[in-house]
């Protein structure tokens, strides 16, 4: 210590920062020391004169306080005893000597060292009336405190009652009763004994009031204890305590926690008020009540909803194109529509109301394309299966008062997604049913309406929830069973069945690698040739999608894996010739054409859920009484097409050279093989009319000509659907010419390029063009020579009118 410091009254000594406690002069205190810096300060004090400066830190949470984090007034203390505990812990016993003014922290490492000056204690006039009054008042209030509150040790109470020095009494009371650290520090910093006592009395009065209030609360709770169990008593104690202290803002119980979580969400006023109201009801309900469980479940569900959580859309078109192309082959029109949506989203981020319905047969990738859209946009994905739903509550949820109530599937999907703007797939929307429990398709009207779903109300939630940011994608196998109002809210995009080439590319580029990886095979251990893939498509599967192809490939992979596992070979190569060895004989045969041109046999084209097929129609004219026989499991529409074709032929007997009364003495039998398979649809009219004309005129039909279209009574050819699938079936069967309605000419743009290269398309707006293309008319002279005079005259008359010659050339 320097001489200058000694003369000025300052002394340099170790300083120890106290956390949560304050030491007064003439007081003995024991406390634990855990910080390394504090332990080093104690060691330094023991090396000197066992004196140390004890100063309280301002922030109790600070583990390593700096110099500015300490109070400037502390206490010089004498270290009486140090007890080393296990580890680095130390327990120390000190006695306060004098108040001290910390002038300056001279060192902070390895421990605090400070210039400290002892503050002399002023003499108190203990015999003055004012001092005697303060002493008596302090002793009375201490007695009241002991009677109402926690009991003080007898020696402490005796010392307070016997103490006659005003300053010492103030310090003794402050160090032994419960006081906040700030209050103790204020008393320590007050040098004047009278003022210090007044501060202590003010704090003691406040503590007495708190103790008295606690006693009143205990009395109130005690009266409730007889009518309830201990848990109820504890809850009521907290309620009364919170109410009396006015401390309703801190989350001290379950209801307060709910209030805190609700405020944190920054919800709309209507929603927040409703949830706060339910939280207040929960606060007032008895513990364990059934209604309390309902409210608690409701609040938990509401708080789990993503009210304000969103993901940022990724509007990179090249990234989206790569994602779509990597997971799907073909589907160019659908991909283009998705890219258009992303492009518009990039220009108008607030774009809403996009609801797409994917309609197509099973297995064409409707569900997987929705997952790819979510991946391309960077959004969360959730799937809702609606197939077989009969209850409106599946969509809107149940009222929360019902036993087992839960939110509907839409709200559940939002909770699963965890964001406000996910991609939600509503699968099988065409398979909703209506019964006594309501119509789920009607409940979907609000969900899929961009003008209404911004305030969708689930029966369980009962609060408006904004669904306008959700990208809804629905799927269906057919749009015929979707209610018209629901269908009107969606943009329908048709996914037709895959062509042979599309199936090949999907199998080769996607399915094969997927199954090889799943079965532990590599390109070095397993090879499936292109001819084998074509063989699987042609001879082992008949489907619109590629699910069965994937199953057959998986079967081949399993058999190859077995051969490799048993050591039979190191590499398995499968070609078209090996398929029967691995998976058995062909399940399907080629659609071969007839070996010759036949009378009354015409090749039609049909659409099925697994793609297009050729459908030969046979007509046989027999002597009889005018009966019409229709066989082949025909539906009502095809039966009506057959009758319309017969009526049309009857109206054209003169032009066609057919006997006028054939319908009286001829029986007509129309048959569509295979008889056990139900058939129906509005596209067989032209085929039936051509077969009838061929049979009645006894003229053969080109075997490599196929046709599709509906007929009117006046011979007009009406447009049909499913042209892409039908033409692919014609190409597979070796058809060279296909007659289509003139109104379907625009659909040729969607036909596979391979089909366009190998098939000649003839557009027809009336039956004359169909007859000219399909029926093989003999040379004009030969036909006239074979007919009687009436037929010749009819042909000449028709030729004058310009009708038949186009057919007979």
């Amino acid at each position: 210590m320097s001489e200058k410091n000694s003369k000025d009254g300052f002394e340099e000594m170790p300083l120890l920062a106290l956390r949560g406690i304050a030491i007064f002069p003439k007081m003995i205190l024991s406390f634990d020391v855990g910080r390394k810096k504090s332990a080093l300060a104690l060691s330094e004090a023991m090396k000197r004169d066992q004196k140390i400066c004890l100063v309280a830190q301002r922030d109790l949470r600070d583990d390593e306080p700096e110099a500015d984090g300490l109070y400037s007034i502390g206490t010089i203390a004498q270290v009486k005893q140090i007890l080393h505990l296990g580890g680095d812990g130390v327990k120390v016993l000190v006695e306060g000597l004098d108040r001290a003014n910390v002038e300056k922290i001279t060192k902070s490492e390895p421990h605090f060292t400070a210039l400290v000056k002892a503050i002399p204690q002023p003499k108190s006039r203990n015999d003055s009336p004012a001092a005697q009054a303060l002493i008596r008042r302090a002793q009375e209030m201490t007695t009241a405190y002991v009677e109402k509150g926690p009991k003080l040790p007898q020696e402490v109470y005796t010392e307070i009652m016997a103490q006659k020095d005003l300053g010492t009494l103030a310090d003794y009371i402050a160090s032994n009763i419960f006081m906040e650290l700030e209050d103790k520090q204020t008393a320590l910093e007050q040098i004047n004994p009278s003022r210090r006592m007044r501060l202590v009395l003010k704090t003691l009065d406040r503590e007495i009031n708190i103790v008295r209030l606690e006693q009143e609360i205990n009395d109130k709770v005690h009266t409730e204890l007889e009518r309830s169990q201990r848990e109820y008593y504890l809850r009521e104690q907290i309620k009364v305590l919170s109410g009396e202290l006015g401390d309703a803002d801190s989350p001290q119980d379950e209801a307060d926690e709910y209030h805190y979580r609700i405020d944190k969400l920054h919800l709309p006023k209507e929603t927040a008020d409703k949830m706060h109201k339910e939280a207040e009801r929960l606060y007032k309900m008895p513990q364990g009540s059934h209604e309390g469980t309902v409210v608690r479940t409701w609040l938990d569900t509401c708080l789990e909803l993503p009210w304000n959580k969103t993901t940022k859309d990724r509007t990179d078109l090249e990234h989206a194109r790569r994602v779509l192309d990597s997971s799907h082959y073909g589907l160019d029109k659908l991909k283009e529509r998705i890219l258009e949506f992303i492009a518009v989203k990039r220009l108008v981020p607030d774009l809403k109301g996009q609801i797409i319905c994917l309609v197509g047969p099973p297995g064409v990738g409707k569900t997987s394309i929705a997952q790819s859209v979510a991946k391309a946009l960077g959004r969360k994905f959730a799937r809702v299966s609606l197939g077989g739903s009969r209850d409106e509550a599946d969509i809107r949820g149940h009222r929360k008062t019902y036993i087992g109530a839960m939110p509907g599937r839409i709200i559940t999907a939002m909770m699963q997604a965890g964001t406000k703007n996910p991609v939600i797939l509503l699968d099988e929307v065409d398979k909703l049913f209506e019964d006594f429990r309501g119509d789920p398709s009607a409940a979907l009207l609000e969900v899929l309406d961009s003008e209404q779903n911004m305030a969708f109300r689930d029966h369980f939630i009962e609060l408006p929830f904004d669904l306008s940011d959700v990208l809804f994608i629905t799927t269906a196998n057919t749009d015929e069973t979707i209610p018209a109002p629901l269908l009107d809210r969606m943009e329908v995009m048709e996914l037709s069945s895959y062509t042979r080439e599309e199936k090949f590319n999907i199998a080769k580029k996607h399915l094969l690698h997927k199954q090889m990886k799943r079965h532990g095979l590599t390109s070095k251990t397993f090879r499936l040739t292109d001819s084998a893939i074509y063989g699987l498509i042609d001879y082992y599967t008949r489907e619109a999608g590629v699910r069965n192809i994937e199953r057959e490939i998986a079967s081949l992979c399993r058999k190859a894996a077995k051969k490799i596992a048993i050591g039979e070979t190191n590499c398995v190569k499968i070609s078209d010739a090996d398929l029967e060895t691995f998976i058995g004989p062909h399940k399907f045969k080629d659609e071969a054409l007839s070996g010759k041109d036949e009378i009354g046999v015409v090749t039609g084209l049909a659409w099925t859920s697994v793609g297009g097929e050729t459908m030969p129609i046979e007509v046989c004219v027999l002597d009889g009484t005018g009966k019409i026989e229709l066989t082949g499991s025909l539906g009502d529409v095809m039966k009506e097409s057959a009758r319309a074709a017969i009526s049309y032929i009857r109206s054209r007997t003169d032009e066609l050279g057919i006997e006028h009364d054939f319908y009286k003495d001829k029986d007509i039998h129309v048959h569509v093989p295979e008889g056990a398979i139900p058939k129906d649809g509005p596209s067989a009219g032209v085929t039936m009319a051509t077969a009838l004309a061929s049979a009645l005129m006894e003229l053969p039909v080109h075997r490599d000509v196929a046709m599709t279209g509906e007929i009117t009574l006046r011979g007009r050819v009406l447009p049909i659907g499913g042209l892409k699938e039908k033409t692919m079936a014609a190409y597979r069967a070796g058809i060279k010419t296909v007659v289509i309605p003139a109104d379907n000419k625009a659909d040729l743009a969607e036909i596979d390029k391979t089909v366009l290269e190998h098939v000649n398309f003839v557009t027809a707006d009336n039956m004359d063009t169909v007859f000219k293309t399909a029926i093989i008319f003999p040379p004009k002279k030969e036909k006239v020579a074979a007919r009687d005079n009436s037929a010749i005259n009819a042909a000449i008359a028709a030729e004058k009118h310009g009708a038949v010659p186009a057919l007979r050339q």
Side-chain angles (χ1 to χ4, degrees):
M1 179 175 63
S2 67
E3 183 179 356
K4 180 178 181 300
N5 289 339
S6 178
K7 288 180 179 180
D8 293 341
F10 288 99
E11 183 179 356
E12 189 175 43
M13 65 176 62
L15 183 144
L16 189 149
L18 299 175
R19 178 154 53 182
I21 58 176
I23 297 178
F24 289 84
K26 300 181 181 180
M27 304 300 157
I28 297 177
L29 182 66
S30 175
F31 58 88
D32 295 329
V33 175
R35 290 186 286 213
K36 183 177 180 181
K37 185 179 289 189
S38 300
L40 291 174
L42 284 172
S43 298
E44 182 66 21
M46 296 301 292
K47 291 178 183 179
R48 297 187 177 189
D49 53 1
Q50 298 183 354
K51 289 184 179 180
I52 190 168
C53 183
L54 304 176
V55 180
Q57 65 184 61
R58 298 178 185 274
D59 189 353
L60 302 182
R61 298 168 296 180
D62 194 353
D63 289 332
E64 296 294 336
E66 300 295 335
D68 56 357
L70 304 177
Y71 287 104
S72 60
I73 301 296
T75 304
I76 297 175
Q78 181 78 32
V79 180
K80 293 292 187 180
Q81 184 181 11
I82 294 179
L83 178 62
H84 291 277
L85 305 176
D88 297 332
V90 175
K91 194 174 188 66
V92 61
L93 180 68
V94 298
E95 179 181 4
L97 301 177
D98 296 297
R99 284 176 170 80
N101 180 21
V102 180
E103 180 68 19
K104 181 181 179 182
I105 302 293
T106 58
K107 293 181 181 179
S108 296
E109 296 295 339
H111 56 79
F112 286 119
T113 303
L115 285 178
V116 179
K117 183 177 182 181
I119 302 174
Q121 177 71 17
K123 293 288 185 179
S124 355
R125 296 183 60 187
N126 297 320
D127 55 348
S128 66
Q132 290 295 320
L134 288 174
I135 293 174
R136 290 180 183 180
R137 180 60 180 164
Q139 293 172 344
E140 291 173 359
M141 294 183 68
T142 301
T143 302
Y145 177 80
V146 172
E147 291 176 353
K148 296 289 186 181
K151 302 298 182 182
L152 292 177
Q154 183 62 39
E155 59 272 15
V156 174
Y157 179 72
T158 302
E159 180 63 26
I160 293 175
M161 292 297 105
Q163 185 59 249
K164 300 301 181 182
D165 183 77
L166 185 61
T168 304
L169 180 60
D171 289 344
Y172 200 79
I173 293 174
S175 64
N176 284 283
I177 69 169
F178 177 80
M179 293 175 62
E180 297 290 341
L181 177 61
E182 290 79 4
D183 295 331
K184 289 189 176 185
Q185 183 66 30
T186 302
L188 181 65
E189 294 175 357
Q190 182 55 252
I191 307 302
N192 186 283
S194 297
R195 294 179 182 175
R196 189 190 317 151
M197 179 57 80
R198 288 186 174 89
L199 287 174
V200 172
L201 291 178
K202 182 179 179 182
T203 304
L204 189 57
D205 183 62
R206 186 181 65 195
E207 291 298 322
I208 291 173
N209 289 332
I210 293 175
V211 170
R212 184 183 298 114
L213 187 57
E214 288 179 346
Q215 186 62 43
E216 293 176 0
I217 292 173
N218 288 334
D219 293 340
K220 292 180 182 179
V221 174
H222 184 70
T223 59
E224 300 292 335
L225 188 60
E226 297 177 356
R227 297 195 300 267
S228 182
Q229 48 189 324
R230 180 172 178 78
E231 290 80 6
Y232 183 77
Y233 156 74
L234 295 174
R235 187 178 61 257
E236 290 300 316
Q237 187 178 32
I238 295 173
K239 286 183 181 180
V240 175
L241 179 62
S242 300
E244 295 290 343
L245 294 179
D247 192 12
D249 294 332
S250 60
Q252 297 182 3
D253 56 12
E254 186 180 22
D256 292 328
E257 178 66 20
Y258 280 125
H259 285 304
Y260 172 76
R261 292 172 63 188
I262 294 167
D263 291 334
K264 193 175 179 181
L265 289 175
H266 303 291
L267 301 172
K269 186 176 184 305
E270 177 188 354
T271 302
D273 290 347
K274 173 69 174 176
M275 294 175 68
H276 278 304
K277 183 178 179 181
E278 292 298 318
E280 285 296 327
R281 289 184 59 218
L282 180 65
Y283 182 79
K284 299 175 183 178
M285 289 178 185
Q287 183 72 17
S289 68
H290 171 70
E291 190 175 1
T293 302
V294 172
V295 174
R296 189 177 294 106
T297 303
W298 182 85
L299 284 170
D300 289 339
T301 304
C302 291
L303 291 171
E304 192 177 347
L305 283 171
W307 296 94
N308 298 310
K309 294 180 181 178
T310 59
T311 54
K312 185 178 180 180
D313 285 336
R314 186 169 184 177
T315 55
D316 185 351
L317 293 178
E318 289 303 319
H319 167 75
R321 189 185 299 277
R322 288 194 301 270
V323 171
L324 295 174
D325 289 341
S326 65
S327 55
H328 295 84
Y329 178 84
L331 305 177
D332 295 333
K333 189 175 181 181
L334 176 59
K335 291 179 181 178
E336 190 63 28
R337 176 63 183 87
I338 300 301
L339 293 176
E340 290 172 359
F341 168 77
I342 296 175
V344 175
K345 192 73 175 175
R346 185 172 184 174
L347 299 177
V348 187
D350 295 332
L351 178 67
K352 299 179 180 180
Q354 301 295 307
I355 300 168
I356 299 174
C357 180
L358 306 179
V359 178
V364 296
K366 298 186 295 297
T367 300
S368 59
I369 195 70
Q371 295 174 330
S372 298
V373 170
K375 184 178 179 181
L377 284 172
R379 294 191 179 190
K380 298 293 185 179
F381 177 78
R383 175 179 174 270
V384 178
S385 178
L386 299 177
S389 293
R390 298 176 179 271
D391 194 349
E392 180 187 355
D394 285 348
I395 308 300
R396 288 189 177 275
H398 306 82
R399 301 291 180 185
K400 67 175 182 287
T401 54
Y402 296 162
I403 296 176
M406 63 182 67
R409 296 191 183 184
I410 302 299
I411 293 296
T412 302
M414 295 300 297
M415 291 190 292
Q416 291 174 351
T419 61
K420 191 180 177 183
N421 61 336
V423 175
I424 292 185
L425 175 66
L426 302 179
D427 219 355
E428 309 294 351
V429 74
D430 59 326
K431 296 176 178 61
L432 296 171
F433 297 95
E434 177 183 357
D435 64 5
F436 66 92
R437 289 168 289 190
D439 184 2
S441 64
L444 277 177
L445 294 178
E446 182 182 1
V447 176
L448 300 181
D449 192 326
S450 58
E451 299 299 326
Q452 301 179 29
N453 62 12
M454 62 183 61
F456 173 70
R457 288 181 183 266
D458 185 273
H459 286 163
F460 183 85
I461 302 298
E462 296 178 341
L463 295 172
F465 189 83
D466 188 3
L467 298 176
S468 60
D469 291 327
V470 179
L471 175 58
F472 286 104
I473 298 179
T474 65
T475 68
N477 295 131
T478 176
D479 57 4
E480 295 178 0
T481 56
I482 302 176
L486 185 60
L487 188 64
D488 181 63
R489 285 163 165 78
M490 301 182 289
E491 177 184 353
V492 177
M493 301 194 68
E494 292 190 1
L495 277 68
S496 57
S497 59
Y498 291 123
T499 63
R500 182 172 182 263
E501 290 300 319
E502 288 174 338
K503 291 179 181 179
F504 170 78
N505 282 281
I506 293 171
K508 183 176 181 180
K509 297 179 180 179
H510 300 284
L511 304 182
L512 180 58
H513 297 294
K514 175 183 174 183
Q515 292 301 325
M516 286 174 61
K517 183 178 180 181
R518 180 175 294 179
H519 291 84
L521 302 174
T522 65
S523 57
K524 295 182 180 180
T525 58
F526 180 76
R527 288 188 60 194
L528 188 65
T529 64
D530 293 351
S531 62
I533 297 176
Y534 278 119
L536 292 176
I537 296 172
D538 295 335
Y539 304 120
Y540 291 91
T541 60
R542 280 289 189 274
E543 58 178 340
V546 290
R547 288 176 181 166
N548 286 327
I549 297 176
E550 185 173 10
R551 294 188 185 104
E552 296 298 340
I553 293 176
S555 176
L556 293 174
C557 289
R558 289 194 301 270
K559 291 176 172 26
K562 180 182 176 182
K563 287 180 174 290
I564 295 172
I566 63 178
E568 184 176 330
T569 181
N570 293 327
C571 178
V572 176
K573 181 180 179 181
I574 301 176
S575 63
D576 186 22
D578 302 321
L579 290 179
E580 292 194 33
T581 303
F582 279 87
I583 55 178
H586 294 173
K587 298 178 182 178
F588 303 96
K589 296 181 179 180
D590 287 329
E591 298 178 4
L593 295 176
S594 175
K596 61 179 180 177
D597 302 327
E598 297 185 68
I599 296 174
V601 179
V602 181
T603 303
L605 299 174
W607 177 93
T608 69
S609 61
V610 296
E613 290 185 0
T614 58
M615 183 179 65
I617 294 181
E618 302 175 350
V619 174
C620 185
V621 179
L622 308 170
D623 293 334
T625 59
K627 295 180 180 179
I628 299 175
E629 195 74 31
L630 305 175
T631 58
S633 299
L634 304 184
D636 292 338
V637 177
M638 288 192 69
K639 291 179 180 179
E640 292 175 357
S641 296
R643 294 188 180 95
I646 294 173
S647 297
Y648 167 72
I649 297 298
R650 288 181 59 187
S651 69
R652 296 290 304 277
T653 53
D654 290 339
E655 292 88 339
L656 297 175
I658 300 173
E659 296 179 2
H660 288 269
D661 56 353
F662 75 89
Y663 62 90
K664 294 181 180 179
D665 53 7
K666 299 290 184 182
D667 288 346
I668 298 175
H669 189 163
V670 180
H671 179 65
V672 183
E674 300 167 353
I677 301 175
K679 309 170 190 70
D680 203 6
S683 62
V686 295
T687 312
M688 290 183 173
T690 304
L692 278 168
S694 170
L696 291 169
M697 290 190 297
E698 300 180 2
L699 296 177
V701 177
H702 289 288
R703 61 188 178 89
D704 58 356
V705 173
M707 61 189 66
T708 181
E710 191 52 276
I711 187 177
T712 68
L713 292 177
R714 288 167 175 77
R716 286 184 57 236
V717 180
L718 301 180
I720 46 83
L723 185 63
K724 181 179 180 181
E725 291 82 0
K726 293 178 180 179
T727 55
M728 178 55 69
Y731 166 69
R732 288 199 308 265
I735 300 294
K736 302 299 183 183
T737 302
V738 175
V739 181
I740 64 173
D743 291 341
N744 285 109
K745 186 176 182 180
D747 296 334
L748 293 176
E750 300 180 5
I751 302 302
D752 189 88
K753 293 181 180 179
T754 305
V755 178
L756 290 174
E757 292 173 358
H758 293 83
V759 178
N760 176 40
F761 289 93
V762 177
T763 58
D765 55 3
N766 58 68
M767 286 302 301
D768 290 346
T769 304
V770 179
F771 291 159
K772 181 180 71 173
T773 305
I775 298 177
I776 303 175
F777 290 99
K780 182 177 179 181
K781 292 182 181 180
E782 295 179 8
K783 187 67 179 176
V784 172
R787 293 286 181 178
D788 58 11
N789 292 336
S790 61
I792 295 173
N793 293 335
I796 293 173
E799 187 173 354
K800 290 180 180 180
H801 291 85
V804 177
L807 302 177
R808 301 284 183 161
Q809 295 301 321

